[in-house]
Amino acid sequence: MIENADISAVSEFVDCFIGVDGGADHLLAAGITPRMVIGDLDSLSCHSRATFAHLLCHVSEQETTDFEKALTRVAAPMIIALGFTGGRLDHTLAVLNVMARHPERSIVLVDEYDASFLAQVGETRIALPAKSRLSLMPLSDVRVTATGLRWPLHDAQMHPTGMISSSNEMAAELAVIRTDRPLLVTLPREHLPSALQAAARVE
């Protein structure tokens, strides 16, 4: 469930909102008009459908999730995806599947508790207060070196069914992650600016 406080938490970092299917209902409740509403629209309320009629992008195919429908139709250097985690586990796993298949996109998943993004191939630097929670979760077979953590990793082979590093934490105020494939990084939502900075691509 998306609360107005969740929308407010990301508002200062975005220049527009996209309603993804029933997510448009939450924007309407918050008094926000999205730039468009994308999805198969099967969970969009009649009120939102009428209010945003001129903004609807109906994608009827069922081979992709609404998250992927939106992702492949929105061009932006950074996407903050709010309301796609929590609730049904299969929905959360489907979102992670899409992120793993689109590592070229800079996406930060945000919910009530966390901000998550893919650390890209090469080096990612993350600035956080010491003792902050920082979790490293592989979405595929990946080799990782991570310094600045309470439990550092040195050329570790990680895999979704093998080694992971959940609930690690910062030993200092800078963590450096080096990986040969994208790696999911999760930190507390209160440090969203740090997640956005670390997730940004430098062209």
Side-chain angles (χ1 to χ4, degrees), residues 83-101:
F84 290 96
T85 58
R88 284 178 49 178
L89 179 60
D90 59 338
H91 285 175
T92 300
L93 292 174
V95 168
L96 296 179
N97 173 275
V98 172
M99 287 182 66
R101 290 188 288 107

Side-chain angles (χ1 to χ4, degrees), residues 7 16 27 84 110 130 177:
I7 296 175
C16 73
L27 295 177
F84 290 96
V110 178
I177 300 169

Side-chain angles (χ1 to χ4, degrees), residues 139-152:
L139 300 182
S140 64
D141 194 22
V142 57
R143 191 169 292 278
V144 180
T145 293
T147 59
L149 301 178
R150 180 178 180 184
W151 295 284

Side-chain angles (χ1 to χ4, degrees), residues 31-46:
I32 296 173
T33 299
R35 181 164 293 181
M36 67 174 65
V37 178
I38 302 174
D40 59 18
L41 309 184
D42 62 347
S43 61
L44 185 67
S45 70
C46 292

Side-chain angles (χ1 to χ4, degrees), residues 88-156:
R88 284 178 49 178
L89 179 60
D90 59 338
H91 285 175
T92 300
L93 292 174
V95 168
L96 296 179
N97 173 275
V98 172
M99 287 182 66
R101 290 188 288 107
H102 293 276
E104 75 283 358
R105 302 301 300 272
S106 293
I107 304 166
V108 178
L109 298 176
V110 178
D111 59 27
E112 180 182 0
Y113 304 105
D114 298 317
S116 303
F117 65 94
L118 287 182
Q120 299 297 323
V121 175
E123 182 177 285
T124 299
R125 292 174 171 261
I126 305 171
L128 291 173
K131 298 187 178 181
S132 298
R133 171 172 52 87
L134 188 75
S135 296
L136 307 178
M137 299 292 290
L139 300 182
S140 64
D141 194 22
V142 57
R143 191 169 292 278
V144 180
T145 293
T147 59
L149 301 178
R150 180 178 180 184
W151 295 284
L153 301 171
H154 301 285
D155 199 28

